[in-house]
Amino acid sequence: MSKREFKVVNKPLRKIDAMSLALGKPAYVGDFKPADALVIKMLGSPHAHARIKSIDISAAEAMPGVHAVLYYGNVPRIVHTTAGQGYPEPSPYDTFMFDSKMRFVGDRVAAVAAESNKIALAALKAIQVEYEVLEPVFRIQDAMQDGAPVIHDEPEAKAVIPVPYDAKRNMAAKVDMEIGDLEKGLAAADVTVDVPFYNHYAQHCPVEPHVSMAWVDREDRIIITTSTQVPFHCRRIVAQTLDVPVQRIRVIKPRIGGGFGAKQEIVLEDVVAMMALRTRRPVYWEYTREEEFVASRTRHPMLMRIRMGAKRDGTITAIGLDATSNTGWNGSQGLTVVCNSGSKMLPLYRCENIHFLGMAVYTNLPAGGAYRGYGATQAAFAFESAMDEIAEKIGMDPLQFRSMNHIRKGETSPVFRALGEGREGVDQAITSCELARCIKAGAKEIGWRKRKPHTAKKGRYRRGIGMACLMQGSAIPEIDMGAASMKMNEDGSFNLLMGATDLGTGSDTVLAQIAAEQLGTTLDKIIVYSSDTDMTPFDVGAYASSTTYLSGQAVLNVAQKVRKQILKVGADMLDCKASELGIEDAKVIRKNGESVTFSEIALYSMYASNQFQIGDMSSKIVHHSPPPFAAHFADVEVDTYTGRVRVVKYVAAADCGTPIHPRLAEGQVEGAVMNGICYALTEEYLFNDKGRMTNGNFGDYKLYTVSDLPEMKTILVPSYEKTGPYGAKSIAEIGINGPLPAIANAIYNACGVRLRTGPFTAEKVWRSLQAGGEIPFEEGH
Amino acid sequence: MMNYVDFKTPASVAEARALMKELGPQASPVAGSTLHVFLRDESPKVAVDISRLGLNSIDTLPDGYRIGATSTVGDLQDFHAPGWVLDRVAREFVTQPIRNVATLGGSIIRVFPWSDLPIPLLALDAVMEIEGDETRRIAAGDFFKSQPFHHLQSGDLLTAIHVPALASGQGFGYHKERRTTTDFSRCSVAVWMALEDDRVADVRIAIGAAVPMPCRMKAMEQALKGKKPTQSNFESAVQAGLDEGHWKGLHGISNEYARHLASVIVVDMLHAATDEAKGDAV
């Protein structure tokens, strides 16, 4: 496939669902709640670590309006993972629908299904529980000590793929990889750094929290309508957890009110399915915001140690990255997130001596999971901060240092082969990279040439400019699969059925654009349906920045097959060879000017001759994961009296190949950058000494709103990724990785303060200023 | 959230008072209802709607303004008149949709550590007008000494707030430190100052959020009187008076930092008030 002029692709067309969403038409799970649905409420553990000595649900069960109470004593005990990943999952099996052991404040004790919220909440109060309180452990370093409380002491806990797993030592995952010789590389360096970093807790904060409902149909099948990024994984894991056949379950995904990775997890669906079976009534469960913070999933907090060496000429001789995540009470996505900390950042700069050690450690705090950036966010903070530190030590401009070392088109990195997602990776050369142009364009926009060192700045308010370079991936090669099917209708329209999951990104529109471009028709002729496990073909779902690249190729493939069928029927109608025909404006056109419309072709194939419905299905697995690249720049102002940091301007220049829908691609970057700025400056989990989150609401846990936006500039620097659909790569995740390091570097450039733990609160900056530039490092939350 | 079982719509202040007297503790006056989001009283309440009693006008008096208690924060923002300063405060009050419904009375009758509006009213030495069996007036300093609703007997209604207009030679400064526009205050400071012959003739400094209840910093005020409005005098006065505050950090900030933050902001607001008093305000 080569570059050419596009008619539908690369155009900012109106989203196919824009009008219905703007008009507030029913679209989300909550919009379809049956009037007679029972409400589910969950009793959460008050203790971070405890064993239930006794539980009495009889009073709750006897209350009028209560239809069922579930707890560990009356449901199957089947160990599984909640991670919505491909089978066999790289995440350990360490979770039960209900258990007698409590592993975090908010852990499932018992669930009630009742006629109303009020009755359900009253029933929760009527459940009598006696706990044996156990010693909890909250910090990574404490959980790794000999003799630390063991969080998963149940015999069933296990890894289901051959990877290191040691629940008795609270180790949920481990990966160790060396290329060359780190120590030799450090010894060969003129300068080295050996510094710690800590990435803090954060939540995805989708506007729509986790919400699911279920009922049992007349064929005794369980119909689950749920806000999920992974309908097919959801079906498989619910079947496993309830010990029912997959064929008995249908999962329907309507519109999703934001996911960002949080909904790549089976959080509610097992319970709603079980409740539907028990009560034979429709049941509905929606998390409160507090539950969303505590009991859904979070970004994995991570302790980092980075060692780096370089020669004075700017050659990087060694990179060592130790990343240890706090995976919380379960090991969901623990291995793969920490793998990504290595695989998504280490190939960015050329280096012959690389060591990566990744671990995931259980604690009695909320569980980590998939979150936009997926480990790369954490690594980018450490890596890109250390790049600035090294650059300063060798006296080189950090932009120049990055420019001379970053990977380029045609190059490869041994890291691609050495590190995959829970297993060895896949060799690949970089087939598109415009990072150099991203750096240049971003630097110009931010005014990098005027940047001065912090030592040249005086006064109370000091401005600083910082940067970070980034890469991510596009789907998981040799693992992820997408599929699409298509059929043509009498009026020349097409049904496009996809397992791909639009979680608010606009991927339904993007994928329809790919189909319309290939078919030679307009966007309005593509009727998209996604996703329903009974109706649409299999797709792993929306994660790993895969939808445009992977599902897009499945759509492109099926559209190519359908196009061939259209040409064949057209040739029959025009009495010529298919090779003499072209397609333009929903017509098959012969070189002599004769033509037939798509509608005529569809009618002919359905009713006139050699009758068949034009349509097909296609699956796609990818063999590459071409990285998108980005250069981010932050211009900040630090109030040195109070420590307050204000982002004055933020520039994100990104290479995502061909942006299929440029405006939606820009929206992905802007949303991700805002997400990252909040993570850098305001978002944090506060816990009391018992492990209870004390700020689980939007009054206290602060996110930016539109009125807080700094000046933002997004620059899409196009490249053409020959392995992607119409040259496209991913764009969804990469943007969130930049703000933490870019702002940290900008703060240093403003006032000489080096921050190694987020968020960069005013108090932290002030204390660092008081301490002369840096406060003692400690693991946070 | 409150547990409302009935909603009454009296036609006059007298009728509202009579209803509240009759219902006793069960009565819950409501206007903008934003306060009720923060209350956790689950006992059955009867909402008495006081938003339609004509208590929402801002009237100009010879020495200032009389603000009806059900005037919204948006009304304070939109009102412009000589010496009027509360528009500056209103602009920092959460977001416009909330400013459109939250009332001045509802925002001061029960005080939270992060409450915004008591701080400028303390600095302005506002006076609260309460309609009871007889009309009473309570100065802000007394009104905010403890939870203000304790000043009300059964059937009493806060009906108006009197604030002075800024005169020539006087200045006002207000700052609310927060992480985002929708954030609760971490430290709020309001300063009212009168200058004569380039010296501080009178000054009132009020602080909130970094302390459990909004309060005046009288030791700082005392230390400033008669002094020239200079950076060093401001800093010395503030440092000398800091021990007067019971500093308490909110939302994860330490008490030590709350104290430091207050010290910086007070100096900043002293400068802002000075600039205005000198006619230099931008």
Side-chain angles (χ1 to χ4, degrees):
Chain A
M1 197 179 300
S2 60
K3 291 185 192 182
R4 62 180 174 85
E5 280 300 307
F6 300 119
K7 289 197 166 178
V8 188
V9 156
N10 198 221
K11 302 278 187 284
L13 305 174
R14 189 164 83 183
K15 275 182 78 189
I16 58 175
D17 53 357
M19 191 53 76
S20 67
L21 292 176
L23 292 173
K25 292 190 175 171
Y28 301 92
V29 174
D31 295 330
F32 304 114
K33 181 182 173 188
D36 62 341
L38 300 174
V39 175
I40 295 175
K41 286 284 169 189
M42 183 66 72
L43 180 64
S45 169
H47 304 292
H49 202 190
R51 218 175 278 285
I52 296 177
K53 287 167 74 176
S54 67
I55 179 166
D56 182 356
I57 61 168
S58 57
E61 279 186 315
M63 288 174 69
V66 172
H67 288 254
V69 180
L70 301 181
Y71 76 112
Y72 70 88
N74 62 10
V75 298
R77 181 178 172 83
I78 296 172
V79 72
H80 64 281
T81 175
T82 58
Q85 296 178 298
Y87 180 82
E89 302 91 341
S91 296
Y93 281 15
D94 56 10
T95 304
F96 306 89
M97 189 184 302
F98 289 91
D99 197 1
S100 57
K101 191 174 188 199
M102 302 291 105
R103 297 182 178 86
F104 71 105
V105 175
D107 204 351
R108 291 174 173 182
V109 176
V112 168
E115 294 286 350
S116 69
N117 258 340
K118 199 171 177 181
I119 296 170
L121 290 170
L124 294 185
K125 285 186 181 169
I127 296 170
Q128 300 294 315
V129 191
E130 193 184 347
Y131 299 94
E132 176 196 354
V133 177
L134 306 172
E135 184 190 348
V137 60
F138 300 130
R139 292 183 189 269
I140 295 168
Q141 287 161 327
D142 296 339
M144 292 169 71
Q145 296 295 319
D146 287 339
V150 178
I151 292 155
H152 284 279
D153 50 3
E154 69 277 12
E156 298 97 327
K158 62 182 177 187
V160 291
I161 61 169
V163 289
Y165 178 74
D166 188 354
K168 300 290 176 283
R169 297 178 64 80
N170 291 324
M171 193 186 79
K174 183 177 179 182
V175 57
D176 197 340
M177 181 273 307
E178 184 153 25
I179 293 160
D181 185 331
L182 174 70
E183 295 305 330
K184 201 184 267 181
L186 288 170
D190 294 327
V191 299
T192 59
V193 295
D194 182 351
V195 282
F197 290 89
Y198 180 75
N199 290 272
H200 53 294
Y201 262 106
Q203 219 270 330
H204 317 62
C205 301
V207 173
E208 176 203 44
H210 280 79
V211 53
S212 292
M213 61 185 181
W215 66 92
V216 179
D217 74 4
R218 64 186 178 188
E219 306 297 334
D220 209 30
R221 296 182 73 218
I222 306 163
I223 316 299
I224 303 170
T225 304
T226 186
S227 183
T228 181
Q229 295 174 222
V230 285
F232 288 89
H233 295 333
C234 176
R235 181 178 65 168
R236 190 189 77 241
I237 292 170
V238 171
Q240 174 193 8
T241 310
L242 269 65
D243 195 21
V244 300
V246 165
Q247 74 172 70
R248 203 177 160 196
I249 297 174
R250 175 182 177 189
V251 174
I252 301 167
K253 173 220 71 88
R255 308 266 354 135
I256 301 177
F260 314 106
K263 292 170 182 171
Q264 194 199 331
E265 199 83 13
I266 314 310
V267 173
L268 309 180
E269 292 88 347
D270 56 336
V271 170
V272 294
M274 183 55 86
M275 280 293 194
L277 278 178
R278 288 284 163 91
T279 63
R280 298 282 156 172
R281 287 271 299 269
V283 293
Y284 178 89
W285 188 11
E286 179 182 327
Y287 262 170
T288 63
R289 186 55 61 182
E290 187 178 6
E291 287 171 327
E292 186 67 27
F293 274 111
V294 172
S296 73
R297 297 295 177 267
T298 68
R299 181 174 301 290
H300 283 88
M302 226 178 260
L303 263 180
M304 296 271 178
R305 177 192 179 193
I306 185 156
R307 286 169 286 172
M308 201 181 275
K311 289 186 177 294
R312 294 217 174 269
D313 66 3
T315 307
I316 299 173
T317 60
I319 303 170
L321 181 64
D322 297 351
T324 310
S325 79
N326 174 354
T327 192
W329 67 271
N330 88 2
S332 175
Q333 326 256 359
L335 173 65
T336 39
V337 163
V338 88
C339 281
N340 261 26
S341 294
S343 66
K344 295 293 181 275
M345 282 305 289
L346 291 173
L348 184 55
Y349 300 109
R350 296 183 209 102
C351 180
E352 291 177 357
N353 302 296
I354 301 171
H355 179 246
F356 175 70
L357 174 64
M359 282 199 287
V361 174
Y362 290 122
T363 67
N364 292 112
L365 287 177
Y371 187 170
R372 191 182 216 171
Y374 203 83
T377 311
Q378 292 92 322
F381 175 35
F383 205 42
E384 287 298 287
S385 298
M387 284 293 285
D388 263 35
E389 292 185 74
I390 281 273
E392 185 177 40
K393 282 195 169 188
I394 61 175
M396 188 179 278
D397 181 308
L399 185 148
Q400 188 193 345
F401 181 49
R402 288 177 172 87
S403 294
M404 70 174 281
N405 282 296
H406 75 71
I407 197 165
R408 283 163 168 78
K409 185 177 174 181
E411 296 178 353
T412 186
S413 165
V415 177
F416 290 131
R417 156 64 66 187
L419 262 182
E421 289 223 358
R423 64 182 197 184
E424 215 174 53
V426 175
D427 264 333
Q428 63 172 4
I430 299 297
T431 40
S432 61
C433 177
E434 292 293 351
L435 181 54
R437 279 175 61 209
C438 289
I439 292 172
K440 199 172 168 190
K444 187 177 175 196
E445 181 65 33
I446 205 77
W448 185 269
R449 285 176 61 187
K450 288 183 281 182
R451 183 177 179 268
K452 292 186 174 62
H454 70 86
T455 46
K457 292 165 190 175
K458 291 188 170 59
R460 174 175 173 178
Y461 297 99
R462 297 182 200 171
R463 293 276 285 271
I465 294 176
M467 72 173 292
C469 286
L470 312 163
M471 60 175 272
Q472 193 85 26
S474 303
I476 309 171
E478 312 288 5
I479 293 179
D480 283 352
M481 197 199 99
S485 67
M486 183 181 278
K487 57 194 173 88
M488 189 179 195
N489 302 310
E490 291 96 321
D491 61 352
S493 65
F494 300 86
N495 289 105
L496 175 60
L497 308 177
M498 302 179 298
T501 310
D502 188 335
L503 56 150
T505 55
S507 67
D508 280 355
T509 300
V510 165
L511 297 177
Q513 282 179 279
I514 290 170
E517 182 74 40
Q518 178 59 217
L519 292 166
T521 188
T522 48
L523 186 60
D524 62 311
K525 294 295 180 194
I526 310 295
I527 306 156
V528 173
Y529 184 60
S530 74
S531 355
D532 176 335
T533 56
D534 269 14
M535 305 291 175
T536 56
F538 175 84
D539 190 293
V540 288
Y543 59 85
S545 285
S546 64
T547 304
T548 299
Y549 183 72
L550 167 67
S551 306
Q553 289 191 59
V555 169
L556 184 61
N557 284 359
V558 78
Q560 283 167 341
K561 289 181 180 179
V562 169
R563 181 187 170 98
K564 274 186 189 166
Q565 294 174 24
I566 291 170
L567 287 170
K568 192 161 177 279
V569 176
D572 195 24
M573 292 172 74
L574 293 169
D575 196 20
C576 64
K577 290 180 183 169
S579 57
E580 294 174 37
L581 300 174
I583 292 180
E584 206 168 315
D585 298 333
K587 281 186 224 160
V588 170
I589 302 171
R590 202 174 170 186
K591 284 173 187 163
N592 66 6
E594 280 184 280
S595 68
V596 283
T597 66
F598 275 12
S599 176
E600 289 165 339
I601 287 174
L603 288 166
Y604 183 84
S605 71
M606 283 177 178
Y607 302 109
S609 177
N610 298 324
Q611 285 160 266
F612 77 108
Q613 176 160 30
I614 293 174
D616 218 318
M617 183 180 157
S618 181
S619 304
K620 182 70 186 174
I621 182 164
V622 293
H623 307 290
H624 299 87
S625 179
F629 294 95
H632 283 203
F633 296 82
D635 177 354
V636 306
E637 178 190 81
V638 179
D639 178 349
T640 57
Y641 286 12
T642 65
R644 180 153 204 203
V645 177
R646 182 171 71 91
V647 178
V648 179
K649 182 172 182 176
Y650 198 96
V651 177
D655 158 20
C656 62
T658 302
I660 301 293
H661 191 300
R663 195 147 299 153
L664 288 176
E666 284 172 12
Q668 285 291 312
V669 175
E670 285 164 11
V673 165
M674 276 302 293
N675 207 170
I677 291 175
C678 294
Y679 184 50
L681 295 182
T682 63
E683 290 183 70
E684 61 181 328
Y685 272 48
L686 302 176
F687 293 99
N688 67 15
D689 60 359
K690 307 286 186 202
R692 177 183 291 277
M693 187 186 185
T694 58
N695 64 333
N697 62 77
F698 284 155
D700 297 317
Y701 183 100
K702 293 318 293 183
L703 300 171
Y704 275 26
T705 60
V706 171
S707 52
D708 298 303
L709 276 173
E711 182 187 350
M712 282 171 65
K713 177 80 177 175
T714 297
I715 305 167
L716 295 182
V717 179
S719 65
Y720 196 88
E721 173 51 49
K722 64 182 183 186
T723 66
Y726 295 113
K729 298 187 281 188
S730 79
I731 191 67
E733 295 186 82
I734 188 169
I736 199 171
N737 303 337
L740 207 58
I743 292 172
N745 289 336
I747 291 170
Y748 182 80
N749 180 244
C751 61
V753 159
R754 176 56 66 189
L755 293 165
R756 304 193 185 280
T757 63
F760 310 142
T761 61
E763 178 165 0
K764 212 174 275 175
V765 175
W766 173 69
R767 287 192 181 281
S768 301
L769 282 161
Q770 298 296 108
E774 194 164 331
I775 46 177
F777 178 80
E778 63 174 328
E779 180 185 339
H781 283 311
Chain B
M1 291 290 283
M2 301 286 277
N3 176 19
Y4 289 113
V5 294
D6 200 0
F7 190 84
K8 302 283 187 191
T9 53
S12 66
V13 170
E15 200 181 314
R17 289 194 51 238
L19 253 175
M20 288 161 56
K21 221 168 192 174
E22 180 192 328
L23 291 163
Q26 210 189 347
S28 173
V30 299
S33 296
T34 51
L35 165 67
H36 298 258
V37 173
F38 301 104
L39 302 179
R40 293 285 177 270
D41 186 352
E42 290 181 5
S43 63
K45 296 281 183 194
V46 174
V48 179
D49 179 16
I50 58 167
S51 68
R52 290 171 250 201
L53 306 181
L55 298 176
N56 60 343
S57 63
I58 302 176
D59 301 316
T60 305
L61 306 175
D63 57 347
Y65 303 95
R66 180 185 183 276
I67 312 162
T70 64
S71 300
T72 65
V73 180
D75 293 335
L76 306 184
Q77 181 183 355
D78 294 341
F79 186 74
H80 298 290
W84 173 259
V85 297
L86 291 180
D87 53 332
R88 305 176 208 173
V89 176
R91 278 197 295 271
E92 305 299 311
F93 190 94
V94 208
T95 56
Q96 193 65 51
I98 297 176
R99 294 197 282 269
N100 289 341
V101 291
T103 63
L104 174 56
S107 302
I108 63 172
I109 199 68
R110 185 184 289 263
V111 174
F112 299 92
W114 37 261
S115 291
D116 289 355
L117 294 171
I119 323 301
L121 297 183
L122 276 165
L124 292 169
D125 209 14
V127 174
M128 319 303 152
E129 186 179 310
I130 292 165
E131 199 70 31
D133 292 338
E134 56 187 27
T135 303
R136 312 196 309 277
R137 292 188 173 200
I138 305 176
D142 293 327
F143 191 72
F144 293 117
K145 256 188 187 144
S146 60
Q147 279 295 352
F149 62 85
H150 291 313
H151 294 291
L152 306 186
Q153 308 296 317
S154 179
D156 284 359
L157 202 58
L158 172 67
T159 50
I161 295 92
H162 295 251
V163 293
L166 225 52
S168 172
Q170 296 176 354
F172 178 77
Y174 173 76
H175 180 80
K176 173 183 175 180
E177 183 70 18
R178 53 189 170 165
R179 292 168 294 179
T180 67
T181 48
T182 61
D183 198 9
F184 295 113
S185 175
R186 320 196 116 203
C187 179
S188 294
V189 173
V191 169
W192 173 91
M193 184 190 283
L195 286 183
E196 278 178 26
D197 300 328
D198 199 29
R199 287 184 184 272
V200 178
D202 199 2
V203 62
R204 291 189 289 268
I205 301 167
I207 292 191
V211 287
M213 281 287 282
C215 60
R216 290 262 297 274
M217 303 303 290
K218 298 216 169 165
M220 292 182 192
E221 294 171 4
Q222 206 52 43
L224 282 165
K225 283 181 188 167
K227 297 272 171 55
K228 281 184 171 290
T230 62
Q231 174 76 14
S232 61
N233 284 338
F234 289 165
E235 282 178 0
S236 319
V238 168
Q239 290 304 322
L242 271 177
D243 286 344
E244 193 182 4
H246 301 287
W247 305 105
K248 185 149 181 61
L250 289 175
H251 317 302
I253 69 172
S254 69
N255 297 348
E256 182 194 6
Y257 181 68
R259 174 187 165 110
H260 168 74
L261 194 57
S263 72
V264 174
I265 301 172
V266 170
V267 171
D268 287 349
M269 291 307 101
L270 286 166
H271 279 297
T274 303
D275 289 347
E276 185 168 32
K278 287 181 172 178
D280 296 338
V282 178

